[in-house]
Amino acid sequence: MKIFEAAKAPIRWEERNVTAIKGPGGRWMIPPDAKESMDRSKIGLKGPLKTPIAAGHPSMNLLLRKTFDLYANVRPCVSIEGYKTPYTDVNLVTIRENTEGEYSGIEHVIVDGVVQSIKLITEEASRRIAEYAFEYARNNQRNSVTAVHKANIMRMSDGLFLRKCREVAENYKDIKFTEMYLDTVCLNMVQDPTQFDVLVMPNLYGDILSDLCAGLIGGLGVTPSGNIGANGVAIFESVHGTAPDIAGMDLANPTALLLSAVMMLRHMGLHDHGNKIQAACFDTIRDKKVLTKDLGGNSKCSEFTDEICRRVKDLE
Amino acid sequence: IDRDMQTVTLIPGDGIGPEISAAVMKIFEAAKAPIRWEERNVTAIKGPGGRWMIPPDAKESMDRSKIGLKGPLKTPIAAGHPSMNLLLRKTFDLYANVRPCVSIEGYKTPYTDVNLVTIRENTEGEYSGIEHVIVDGVVQSIKLITEEASRRIAEYAFEYARNNQRNSVTAVHKANIMRMSDGLFLRKCREVAENYKDIKFTEMYLDTVCLNMVQDPTQFDVLVMPNLYGDILSDLCAGLIGGLGVTPSGNIGANGVAIFESVHGTAPDIAGMDLANPTALLLSAVMMLRHMGLHDHGNKIQAACFDTIRDKKVLTKDLGGNSKCSEFTDEICRRVKDLE
């Protein structure tokens, strides 16, 4: 919020808590005032949430996903100059279908010692995620979309996913469309990630690839993420944990949440502000003078933040 | 004299298969490895009853020798029969796919100290092949996890760790999401771990493994996992050390059968031109020697191979040089003899 203020971003923040409550009928839901705010604003920015262990309610992330039909998880992975990893030129985006696939939650014991787990692929969800991927590519000046699948093995399910991607590709002749097996993607990704642009895939593959790609640029502490829902809702979030061991000690690294907020600004069409804030953040990291501990320095969160604010103002 | 010689069924395969197989045989001869090769072809034929099967003489040889070395096989497009690899897997119940991934000094990748092993359950899981159209536009694919297959692969992983002086076994899973199926797999791993207190046992989510693998692969040792995860991770790890051209692989079956193979393609564009790199097949053959207890020969051949690559004077094109397959092979043979 401090950095946004320094950048004079035209954003008014409405803070809400999403700790699950039991609604009428005994079903878990997010608090009504949080839902009302999201439905009205359409845009959310979210920090890490505690995973409830014995709370009796499902994961909050799952609840949010279902409440707002957050069907697409989007993670742009860009190498951060100054934050050294074995890779220097990563610039790709993973777009993961986030409602079905292997995460249907439908499992059965067939006989003692034999369990089945059901993967569901629907025409509608596949079409919707493919549409989003191509729209995203077009809106963000990306050159190609690659469908990631295992249709050689899962002919019907991944075959359906692939077919919908191909159909949607027909309406986006300006974007290059390719297909690649998931294992081949992984094999190639760690040897040369620069060959990839936008990747679209079903749920489980997206879970794996999005984390793999986050690893390429330095991990969850520097990776932005966005969740696109039906009815124009979009929630941007950092995907790291709550780090209880350093909470409240002014040691945290706000980069992941900041870059997610930049993603949000771009989604809202506020590209100038987004670019300015991102540049200030990257310049600070590249300069290496003021870095939080996880980035290799020994500055406080507030010092890192102030440095970015300073640069943002200079970029006016 | 032949009493010490052990028979191995050799399946040269297609494309560059024959020439890299010849390279391996030449190096084995230079190393005086006590191996007698029995060449067989595994192109599928239709048996009585119309079912596809591997040729009887190939099966007979494998059942007798128990050990196979296999080059790349052509993927049949319109041949009407299933993939040969699938047929072999079913014929010999090859339940474990094992890939040791070790960084090769001299063959530069973004990683220098990779030394891990992926052990993949290769018979069930997501690759059951059971799929249905539920209603128009809705398809389901069934993933099967059984107690028996999970126990068997876990047993193999811990035995492998013990026999190869590895420190830990990590079960890779998504039991937080797939509670019953991956939960069952995990449970069997935990049970088997109880019988191997000398080996450290840990568990890690697949996505966390991938996130960590690309940042620091040295934290991993032996990894055991169900089918799909193994498909992904084994290729990911092959990429860390330089790709399929330098990665060995072994398939362990029931009844003591084991088939070692290179996992790259047939490379038809360079077949027969003496340009192929035999490293993957050679390292698979080294894996085979170790499996057979012939550690001295295995170590010698591996050292000769790694020394050749590190020295960078005689390298095939894919390794960054411009030598022929035969020149690369001869160089390894020379070093093998020197190591006597």
Side-chain angles (χ1 to χ4, degrees):
Chain A
M1 288 193 282
K2 194 168 182 187
I3 293 167
F4 268 48
E5 194 183 339
K8 300 205 188 84
I11 301 293
R12 176 178 52 235
W13 304 101
E14 213 168 80
E15 277 193 51
R16 292 290 183 270
N17 185 312
V18 294
T19 311
I21 61 170
K22 259 199 170 157
R27 287 188 67 191
W28 288 102
M29 51 186 256
I30 67 170
D33 65 340
K35 183 172 194 310
E36 187 274 333
S37 173
M38 270 304 306
D39 285 337
R40 185 171 27 85
S41 72
K42 300 296 191 189
I43 307 290
L45 181 68
K46 173 187 152 293
L49 293 176
K50 252 189 335 229
T51 315
I53 304 204
H57 60 71
S59 115
M60 286 313 309
N61 287 321
L62 185 58
L63 207 47
L64 279 168
R65 196 172 308 141
K66 294 226 180 268
T67 306
F68 299 106
D69 196 14
L70 301 175
Y71 67 92
N73 178 258
V74 185
R75 284 202 206 164
C77 290
V78 180
S79 287
I80 299 176
E81 206 185 330
Y83 189 43
K84 197 177 184 326
T85 73
Y87 304 92
T88 50
D89 285 306
V90 182
N91 187 349
L92 55 85
V93 185
T94 58
I95 297 183
R96 160 193 181 184
E97 202 294 319
N98 217 3
T99 67
E100 56 176 36
E102 300 80 351
Y103 294 175
S104 65
I106 308 169
E107 296 188 287
H108 312 104
V109 175
I110 304 297
V111 292
D112 205 25
V114 180
V115 176
Q116 83 176 5
S117 181
I118 306 220
K119 162 176 168 168
L120 277 177
I121 297 286
T122 66
E123 188 166 354
E124 186 49 35
S126 303
R127 189 201 55 75
R128 188 165 65 163
I129 195 70
E131 278 275 0
Y132 182 77
F134 279 94
E135 277 296 310
Y136 181 96
R138 199 177 258 171
N139 295 340
N140 290 275
Q141 292 83 47
R142 310 292 306 205
N143 300 322
S144 73
V145 170
T146 302
V148 182
H149 66 99
K150 287 290 292 179
N152 51 336
I153 308 284
M154 282 179 270
R155 295 164 192 263
M156 278 194 209
S157 47
D158 283 6
L160 173 56
F161 178 83
L162 206 51
R163 258 197 326 280
K164 300 319 284 181
C165 289
R166 288 172 183 161
E167 283 172 27
V168 171
E170 289 295 308
N171 298 331
Y172 292 84
K173 297 288 202 186
D174 49 319
I175 309 286
K176 183 177 171 204
F177 174 62
T178 57
E179 310 168 0
M180 199 182 277
Y181 296 137
L182 173 60
D183 43 342
T184 309
V185 170
C186 292
L187 177 75
N188 290 340
M189 183 67 79
V190 296
Q191 296 186 81
D192 179 23
T194 65
Q195 64 189 282
F196 296 104
D197 194 338
V198 176
L199 300 148
V200 64
M201 64 220 94
N203 213 334
L204 172 71
Y205 310 162
D207 190 1
I208 300 164
L209 261 186
S210 61
D211 272 9
L212 199 169
C213 294
L216 300 179
I217 63 166
L220 301 185
V222 294
T223 303
S225 181
N227 299 288
I228 310 301
N231 303 319
V233 166
I235 302 181
F236 300 86
E237 60 173 354
S238 55
V239 286
H240 52 65
T242 54
D245 52 325
I246 61 167
M249 293 161 64
D250 198 15
L251 292 171
N253 174 5
T255 300
L257 189 62
L258 184 65
L259 293 179
S260 300
V262 165
M263 240 186 115
M264 177 190 82
L265 288 170
R266 293 190 170 127
H267 176 86
M268 298 165 83
L270 296 166
H271 295 277
D272 283 348
H273 289 93
N275 293 339
K276 212 162 53 182
I277 292 170
Q278 183 177 284
C281 177
F282 282 3
D283 287 351
T284 302
I285 296 176
R286 182 177 46 235
D287 214 33
K288 298 201 196 196
K289 295 207 188 73
V290 189
L291 294 176
T292 50
K293 187 152 175 267
D294 63 305
L295 291 175
N298 50 22
S299 297
K300 295 198 173 76
C301 175
S302 51
E303 293 168 332
F304 182 70
T305 303
D306 288 344
E307 180 66 14
I308 296 177
C309 288
R310 192 182 67 70
R311 288 173 186 272
V312 156
K313 290 177 183 153
D314 282 353
L315 284 165
E316 279 295 315
Chain B
I1 359 162
D2 271 7
R3 218 166 297 151
D4 289 333
M5 297 289 279
Q6 294 190 65
T7 305
V8 168
T9 305
L10 177 67
I11 302 160
D14 309 306
I16 57 173
E19 52 200 291
I20 58 176
S21 299
V24 170
M25 289 194 280
K26 193 168 185 189
I27 292 166
F28 268 50
E29 196 184 336
K32 299 202 187 85
I35 303 293
R36 176 176 52 234
W37 305 101
E38 211 168 82
E39 276 194 50
R40 292 289 183 269
N41 185 313
V42 295
T43 310
I45 60 169
K46 257 196 171 158
R51 288 189 67 189
W52 289 102
M53 50 186 258
I54 67 169
D57 65 340
K59 185 173 192 308
E60 187 276 331
S61 174
M62 270 303 307
D63 285 336
R64 186 171 24 84
S65 72
K66 299 293 191 197
I67 308 289
L69 182 68
K70 172 186 153 294
L73 295 176
K74 248 187 340 226
T75 315
I77 303 201
H81 61 71
S83 115
M84 286 313 310
N85 286 321
L86 184 59
L87 207 47
L88 279 168
R89 198 173 306 143
K90 295 226 180 265
T91 305
F92 298 106
D93 195 14
L94 302 175
Y95 68 91
N97 178 257
V98 186
R99 284 201 206 165
C101 290
V102 181
S103 287
I104 299 176
E105 206 186 327
Y107 189 43
K108 196 176 183 332
T109 74
Y111 305 92
T112 50
D113 284 305
V114 183
N115 186 351
L116 57 85
V117 185
T118 58
I119 296 183
R120 161 192 181 184
E121 203 294 320
N122 216 4
T123 67
E124 56 178 34
E126 300 81 351
Y127 294 177
S128 66
I130 307 169
E131 297 188 288
H132 313 104
V133 174
I134 304 296
V135 292
D136 206 24
V138 179
V139 175
Q140 84 176 7
S141 180
I142 305 215
K143 161 176 168 167
L144 276 178
I145 296 288
T146 66
E147 188 166 354
E148 186 48 36
S150 303
R151 189 203 55 77
R152 187 166 65 163
I153 195 70
E155 279 275 1
Y156 182 78
F158 280 95
E159 276 297 321
Y160 181 95
R162 199 177 258 172
N163 295 341
N164 290 275
Q165 294 81 49
R166 311 292 305 204
N167 300 321
S168 74
V169 170
T170 302
V172 182
H173 66 99
K174 287 289 294 179
N176 50 338
I177 308 282
M178 282 180 270
R179 297 164 189 261
M180 278 195 207
S181 47
D182 282 5
L184 174 57
F185 177 82
L186 206 51
R187 258 195 329 279
K188 300 319 284 180
C189 288
R190 289 172 182 160
E191 283 172 26
V192 171
E194 290 294 309
N195 299 331
Y196 292 83
K197 297 286 202 190
D198 49 319
I199 310 286
K200 183 178 171 202
F201 173 64
T202 56
E203 310 168 1
M204 199 182 278
Y205 296 136
L206 173 60
D207 44 340
T208 309
V209 170
C210 291
L211 176 76
N212 290 339
M213 183 67 80
V214 296
Q215 297 185 82
D216 178 22
T218 66
Q219 64 188 285
F220 296 104
D221 194 338
V222 176
L223 300 150
V224 64
M225 65 220 94
N227 214 334
L228 172 70
Y229 311 160
D231 190 2
I232 299 164
L233 261 186
S234 62
D235 271 10
L236 200 169
C237 294
L240 301 178
I241 64 166
L244 302 185
V246 294
T247 303
S249 181
N251 299 288
I252 310 301
N255 302 320
V257 166
I259 301 183
F260 300 85
E261 61 173 352
S262 55
V263 286
H264 53 65
T266 53
D269 51 326
I270 59 167
M273 292 161 65
D274 197 17
L275 292 172
N277 174 6
T279 300
L281 189 63
L282 185 64
L283 293 180
S284 301
V286 165
M287 240 185 117
M288 178 189 82
L289 286 170
R290 293 186 171 131
H291 177 87
M292 298 164 82
L294 297 165
H295 295 275
D296 283 347
H297 290 93
N299 293 338
K300 210 160 55 180
I301 292 170
Q302 182 177 287
C305 178
F306 282 3
D307 287 350
T308 302
I309 295 177
R310 181 176 46 234
D311 213 35
K312 297 199 198 203
K313 294 207 190 74
V314 189
L315 295 176
T316 49
K317 187 151 175 269
D318 63 303
L319 292 174
N322 49 22
S323 298
K324 294 198 174 75
C325 174
S326 50
E327 293 169 332
F328 181 72
T329 304
D330 288 344
E331 180 66 13
I332 297 176
C333 289
R334 192 181 67 71
R335 290 174 185 271
V336 156
K337 288 176 184 156
D338 282 353
L339 286 164
E340 281 291 318

